[in-house]
Amino acid sequence: MSNQILIFLLDTILGLLSLALLLRFYFQLLRVPYYNSISQFLIAVTDFIVRPARRVIPGWAGIDLSTLVLAWLMECMIVTSVYMVQGYDFAANIGAASGVMGLLGIIEIIKITLYIVLIMIIMQAVLSWVNPHSPLAPLLDSFTRPFLAVFRKRIPPIANVDLSPLFVLILIQVLLMLVAGMHREIINILL
């Protein structure tokens, strides 16, 4: 029982910090408007760890690698701590276990990214029906535009209905299935 509580607390606290770091990274990468309350919140929550990390991990080609690496490290810590609490013995083969934990961290980052895009597209679709002039609309549009643009170029609107979100959501579901399969394969290496 106490192990489950510990896993829940670690996953929740580190998971929320990892999510905030990932959102900050993608907001910067996709040039989401800086002066909105969500961007300001993400900066305020993550600045304590991002600023020192930038001294060690430089950016590359305008990409804030320190934020992405920190999110990956958080996910690696979550995965490692879950396996430690469950009783996995890392001492038996620490090199292979470290590599597997790093791969699982990457898989988790990919999975969270897919869920972020999925949720943003759903929120944008709902807002376009309910309140298209919401203050959140420009933020969602900036975030989802690169993903939707791929399908908007090839699939024209039908009776003024944009079907590109539907195709992106289907693609995300397929990618989530592939990521789950990769996760299982990597776990089999560990066990």
Side-chain angles (χ1 to χ4, degrees):
M1 181 70 161
S2 63
N3 285 350
Q4 290 175 335
I5 293 170
L6 184 59
I7 289 172
F8 169 74
L9 290 174
L10 284 170
D11 192 29
T12 302
I13 294 167
L14 294 178
L16 287 173
L17 183 57
S18 174
L19 177 65
L21 287 165
L22 266 178
L23 283 171
R24 178 177 176 156
F25 171 75
Y26 289 123
F27 278 22
Q28 290 174 348
L29 182 69
L30 299 171
R31 309 280 190 254
V32 172
Y34 179 77
Y35 293 106
N36 66 59
S37 57
I38 295 175
S39 293
Q40 294 300 314
F41 172 77
L42 292 173
I43 290 168
V45 168
T46 58
D47 238 14
F48 79 96
I49 194 169
V50 171
R51 284 189 186 264
R54 282 187 179 155
R55 293 183 197 132
V56 179
I57 306 165
W60 177 72
I63 298 172
D64 184 17
L65 291 179
S66 60
T67 308
L68 182 60
V69 169
L70 285 171
W72 172 71
L73 288 173
M74 291 294 158
E75 289 302 322
C76 289
M77 287 172 46
I78 292 169
V79 170
T80 304
S81 58
V82 165
Y83 279 101
M84 286 177 73
V85 169
Q86 290 176 348
Y88 183 79
D89 182 24
F90 287 101
N93 193 354
I94 194 155
S98 298
V100 168
M101 291 300 121
L103 284 174
L104 287 175
I106 292 170
I107 294 294
E108 288 300 315
I109 291 292
I110 293 168
K111 186 170 72 172
I112 292 169
T113 298
L114 291 171
Y115 278 118
I116 289 171
V117 174
L118 180 102
I119 290 169
M120 293 278 195
I121 288 174
I122 291 172
M123 286 174 58
Q124 183 181 17
V126 170
L127 268 179
S128 71
W129 297 328
V130 177
N131 186 5
H133 303 292
S134 167
L136 195 57
L139 181 137
L140 292 172
D141 182 57
S142 297
F143 191 92
T144 60
R145 188 180 309 121
F147 304 102
L148 297 174
V150 174
F151 291 98
R152 284 181 177 156
K153 289 178 187 174
R154 291 165 180 78
I155 303 166
I158 299 173
N160 286 333
V161 176
D162 183 15
L163 297 178
S164 59
L166 177 65
F167 289 102
V168 173
L169 294 178
I170 291 169
L171 179 62
I172 289 173
Q173 289 298 322
V174 170
L175 291 173
L176 283 169
M177 289 177 203
L178 292 172
V179 167
M182 289 176 18
H183 187 270
R184 282 191 298 273
E185 292 297 321
I186 293 172
I187 292 294
N188 288 338
I189 294 170
L190 185 64
L191 303 176

